[in-house]
Amino acid sequence: MPKFFVPKENIRDNKILIDGEDVTHIKKVLRLGIGDELNMCDGAGMDYTVKISEIDNKTIQCDILTKQKSDTESNIEVTLFQGIPKGSKMDYIIQKTTELGIVKIVPCIMSRCIVKIESEKEMIKKQQRWQKIAEEAAKQSGRGIIPQVAMPCKFSEALDLMKQSDIYFAPYECEQENTLKKALTSVRDPFRVSFMIGPEGGFALEEIEKLKENGIPTVTLGKRILRTETAGEAVTAMIMYSIGDINIT
């Protein structure tokens, strides 16, 4: 059954009001009508099973049949600090890490970023587009929340934000001793995990020094070097398998 996100303010009196682009999708693509059921989510971890009761040109009114806490969210909160890559790579990173259960993605402006954001207007436009991609990926993968894509920030600001987590680290191809497993087992029962991925070309040497000065360890992911668009989803999957909710028996 398809899942759609709806703002909390559209949920009241045991009813849910659907508006915007989802109305067209439900009517024209799914061809659903009065009496059909849908899965809805408030984007904050609460799921609803609803039945369509009214349809007009711009809105769909639904009656709430059941309400339950979403069971698709992990027991940990993972944040990716991503050096902004060029082209559509950021779109891919947001899509795949959202599917894997990430909670927040923070685009970072770093020394080797090829993409240059020239104005605040351009920054806002990019963030809004990226947030929309996260919403679509969350809908497709049945998430209980929509991951937050933050406004792009400077490298120095990212360091302070990372240290608010229980575990934080940065994969680095020149690291040989400190492993990801060691980082993930450094704290018992962690809740918040943050990691940073460099853009194309990786971290600049001065950025590695800043990481070390701030007590943020670098870790090795093995002998093979991953592309920036591969590393984020790979590390997210490793975290979820090691201490999150991906369990393979």
mmCIF file of all heavy atoms in Angstrom, residues 170-190:
data_model
loop_
_atom_site.group_PDB
_atom_site.id
_atom_site.type_symbol
_atom_site.label_atom_id
_atom_site.label_comp_id
_atom_site.label_asym_id
_atom_site.label_seq_id
_atom_site.Cartn_x
_atom_site.Cartn_y
_atom_site.Cartn_z
ATOM 1 N N ALA A 170 35.718 10.391 10.721
ATOM 2 C CA ALA A 170 35.816 10.738 9.305
ATOM 3 C C ALA A 170 36.623 9.662 8.575
ATOM 4 O O ALA A 170 37.809 9.492 8.863
ATOM 5 C CB ALA A 170 36.486 12.099 9.131
ATOM 6 N N PRO A 171 36.019 8.911 7.660
ATOM 7 C CA PRO A 171 36.779 7.959 6.855
ATOM 8 C C PRO A 171 37.824 8.697 6.016
ATOM 9 O O PRO A 171 37.536 9.733 5.412
ATOM 10 C CB PRO A 171 35.712 7.317 5.965
ATOM 11 C CG PRO A 171 34.442 7.473 6.733
ATOM 12 C CD PRO A 171 34.572 8.809 7.410
ATOM 13 N N TYR A 172 39.048 8.138 5.980
ATOM 14 C CA TYR A 172 40.163 8.811 5.307
ATOM 15 C C TYR A 172 41.065 7.744 4.694
ATOM 16 O O TYR A 172 41.495 6.814 5.390
ATOM 17 C CB TYR A 172 40.932 9.662 6.319
ATOM 18 C CG TYR A 172 42.122 10.399 5.779
ATOM 19 C CD1 TYR A 172 42.065 11.117 4.589
ATOM 20 C CD2 TYR A 172 43.327 10.404 6.487
ATOM 21 C CE1 TYR A 172 43.173 11.811 4.105
ATOM 22 C CE2 TYR A 172 44.433 11.094 6.022
ATOM 23 C CZ TYR A 172 44.353 11.796 4.828
ATOM 24 O OH TYR A 172 45.443 12.477 4.352
ATOM 25 N N GLU A 173 41.343 7.876 3.408
ATOM 26 C CA GLU A 173 42.067 6.820 2.682
ATOM 27 C C GLU A 173 43.503 6.616 3.158
ATOM 28 O O GLU A 173 44.077 5.541 2.953
ATOM 29 C CB GLU A 173 42.063 7.105 1.168
ATOM 30 C CG GLU A 173 42.814 8.336 0.726
ATOM 31 C CD GLU A 173 41.961 9.594 0.719
ATOM 32 O OE1 GLU A 173 40.887 9.590 1.362
ATOM 33 O OE2 GLU A 173 42.380 10.577 0.086
ATOM 34 N N CYS A 174 44.082 7.605 3.820
ATOM 35 C CA CYS A 174 45.458 7.466 4.291
ATOM 36 C C CYS A 174 45.557 6.908 5.711
ATOM 37 O O CYS A 174 46.657 6.646 6.196
ATOM 38 C CB CYS A 174 46.185 8.813 4.201
ATOM 39 S SG CYS A 174 46.421 9.402 2.504
ATOM 40 N N GLU A 175 44.429 6.758 6.370
ATOM 41 C CA GLU A 175 44.427 6.145 7.696
ATOM 42 C C GLU A 175 44.682 4.646 7.549
ATOM 43 O O GLU A 175 44.116 3.993 6.680
ATOM 44 C CB GLU A 175 43.082 6.374 8.394
ATOM 45 C CG GLU A 175 42.958 5.735 9.758
ATOM 46 C CD GLU A 175 43.952 6.269 10.759
ATOM 47 O OE1 GLU A 175 44.017 7.508 10.924
ATOM 48 O OE2 GLU A 175 44.670 5.442 11.357
ATOM 49 N N GLN A 176 45.556 4.102 8.401
ATOM 50 C CA GLN A 176 45.906 2.686 8.280
ATOM 51 C C GLN A 176 45.599 1.873 9.533
ATOM 52 O O GLN A 176 45.409 0.659 9.458
ATOM 53 C CB GLN A 176 47.398 2.548 7.935
ATOM 54 C CG GLN A 176 47.762 3.134 6.581
ATOM 55 C CD GLN A 176 49.240 2.951 6.248
ATOM 56 O OE1 GLN A 176 50.034 2.516 7.081
ATOM 57 N NE2 GLN A 176 49.607 3.288 5.028
ATOM 58 N N GLU A 177 45.532 2.521 10.675
ATOM 59 C CA GLU A 177 45.407 1.775 11.931
ATOM 60 C C GLU A 177 44.006 1.830 12.547
ATOM 61 O O GLU A 177 43.463 0.801 12.947
ATOM 62 C CB GLU A 177 46.444 2.288 12.936
ATOM 63 C CG GLU A 177 47.885 2.070 12.487
ATOM 64 C CD GLU A 177 48.883 2.565 13.518
ATOM 65 O OE1 GLU A 177 48.431 3.024 14.593
ATOM 66 O OE2 GLU A 177 50.087 2.499 13.257
ATOM 67 N N ASN A 178 43.433 3.014 12.638
ATOM 68 C CA ASN A 178 42.151 3.169 13.327
ATOM 69 C C ASN A 178 41.017 2.682 12.433
ATOM 70 O O ASN A 178 40.788 3.224 11.351
ATOM 71 C CB ASN A 178 41.930 4.632 13.709
ATOM 72 C CG ASN A 178 40.854 4.789 14.757
ATOM 73 O OD1 ASN A 178 40.633 3.913 15.583
ATOM 74 N ND2 ASN A 178 40.161 5.922 14.716
ATOM 75 N N THR A 179 40.294 1.669 12.867
ATOM 76 C CA THR A 179 39.255 1.077 12.038
ATOM 77 C C THR A 179 37.872 1.629 12.360
ATOM 78 O O THR A 179 37.640 2.179 13.441
ATOM 79 C CB THR A 179 39.221 -0.452 12.224
ATOM 80 O OG1 THR A 179 38.845 -0.741 13.590
ATOM 81 C CG2 THR A 179 40.578 -1.074 11.919
ATOM 82 N N LEU A 180 36.947 1.436 11.426
ATOM 83 C CA LEU A 180 35.557 1.841 11.652
ATOM 84 C C LEU A 180 34.960 1.057 12.813
ATOM 85 O O LEU A 180 34.241 1.618 13.648
ATOM 86 C CB LEU A 180 34.743 1.611 10.381
ATOM 87 C CG LEU A 180 33.242 1.891 10.480
ATOM 88 C CD1 LEU A 180 32.979 3.330 10.863
ATOM 89 C CD2 LEU A 180 32.552 1.548 9.165
ATOM 90 N N LYS A 181 35.281 -0.217 12.895
ATOM 91 C CA LYS A 181 34.770 -1.050 13.990
ATOM 92 C C LYS A 181 35.205 -0.502 15.340
ATOM 93 O O LYS A 181 34.411 -0.453 16.289
ATOM 94 C CB LYS A 181 35.259 -2.491 13.826
ATOM 95 C CG LYS A 181 34.719 -3.434 14.891
ATOM 96 C CD LYS A 181 35.169 -4.862 14.636
ATOM 97 C CE LYS A 181 34.603 -5.808 15.686
ATOM 98 N NZ LYS A 181 35.022 -7.211 15.443
ATOM 99 N N LYS A 182 36.446 -0.052 15.431
ATOM 100 C CA LYS A 182 36.950 0.510 16.681
ATOM 101 C C LYS A 182 36.173 1.769 17.052
ATOM 102 O O LYS A 182 35.819 1.971 18.222
ATOM 103 C CB LYS A 182 38.439 0.819 16.550
ATOM 104 C CG LYS A 182 39.070 1.382 17.816
ATOM 105 C CD LYS A 182 40.555 1.643 17.622
ATOM 106 C CE LYS A 182 41.177 2.251 18.877
ATOM 107 N NZ LYS A 182 42.626 2.526 18.680
ATOM 108 N N ALA A 183 35.902 2.604 16.053
ATOM 109 C CA ALA A 183 35.154 3.837 16.312
ATOM 110 C C ALA A 183 33.737 3.534 16.785
ATOM 111 O O ALA A 183 33.228 4.160 17.719
ATOM 112 C CB ALA A 183 35.123 4.702 15.053
ATOM 113 N N LEU A 184 33.101 2.551 16.160
ATOM 114 C CA LEU A 184 31.710 2.246 16.476
ATOM 115 C C LEU A 184 31.541 1.533 17.806
ATOM 116 O O LEU A 184 30.435 1.511 18.358
ATOM 117 C CB LEU A 184 31.089 1.415 15.347
ATOM 118 C CG LEU A 184 30.948 2.121 14.001
ATOM 119 C CD1 LEU A 184 30.347 1.166 12.963
ATOM 120 C CD2 LEU A 184 30.101 3.377 14.110
ATOM 121 N N THR A 185 32.617 0.958 18.323
ATOM 122 C CA THR A 185 32.543 0.272 19.619
ATOM 123 C C THR A 185 33.202 1.084 20.731
ATOM 124 O O THR A 185 33.401 0.584 21.836
ATOM 125 C CB THR A 185 33.211 -1.118 19.533
ATOM 126 O OG1 THR A 185 34.561 -0.975 19.063
ATOM 127 C CG2 THR A 185 32.449 -2.021 18.577
ATOM 128 N N SER A 186 33.532 2.348 20.436
ATOM 129 C CA SER A 186 34.217 3.194 21.425
ATOM 130 C C SER A 186 33.277 3.701 22.512
ATOM 131 O O SER A 186 33.723 4.133 23.576
ATOM 132 C CB SER A 186 34.879 4.388 20.723
ATOM 133 O OG SER A 186 33.903 5.207 20.091
ATOM 134 N N VAL A 187 31.976 3.679 22.253
ATOM 135 C CA VAL A 187 30.973 4.140 23.216
ATOM 136 C C VAL A 187 29.917 3.059 23.374
ATOM 137 O O VAL A 187 29.432 2.507 22.374
ATOM 138 C CB VAL A 187 30.306 5.450 22.738
ATOM 139 C CG1 VAL A 187 29.189 5.867 23.694
ATOM 140 C CG2 VAL A 187 31.340 6.561 22.618
ATOM 141 N N ARG A 188 29.544 2.781 24.596
ATOM 142 C CA ARG A 188 28.521 1.768 24.850
ATOM 143 C C ARG A 188 27.128 2.359 24.655
ATOM 144 O O ARG A 188 26.833 3.456 25.122
ATOM 145 C CB ARG A 188 28.658 1.232 26.275
ATOM 146 C CG ARG A 188 27.700 0.090 26.593
ATOM 147 C CD ARG A 188 27.987 -0.459 27.976
ATOM 148 N NE ARG A 188 27.079 -1.563 28.292
ATOM 149 C CZ ARG A 188 27.120 -2.244 29.423
ATOM 150 N NH1 ARG A 188 28.025 -1.932 30.354
ATOM 151 N NH2 ARG A 188 26.268 -3.228 29.633
ATOM 152 N N ASP A 189 26.291 1.648 23.925
ATOM 153 C CA ASP A 189 24.908 2.045 23.667
ATOM 154 C C ASP A 189 24.799 3.479 23.130
ATOM 155 O O ASP A 189 24.090 4.330 23.699
ATOM 156 C CB ASP A 189 24.055 1.916 24.938
ATOM 157 C CG ASP A 189 23.973 0.485 25.433
ATOM 158 O OD1 ASP A 189 23.971 -0.430 24.597
ATOM 159 O OD2 ASP A 189 23.927 0.287 26.671
ATOM 160 N N PRO A 190 25.467 3.788 22.024
ATOM 161 C CA PRO A 190 25.368 5.134 21.453
ATOM 162 C C PRO A 190 23.989 5.373 20.847
ATOM 163 O O PRO A 190 23.308 4.428 20.426
ATOM 164 C CB PRO A 190 26.442 5.124 20.362
ATOM 165 C CG PRO A 190 26.496 3.687 19.925
ATOM 166 C CD PRO A 190 26.269 2.886 21.192
#
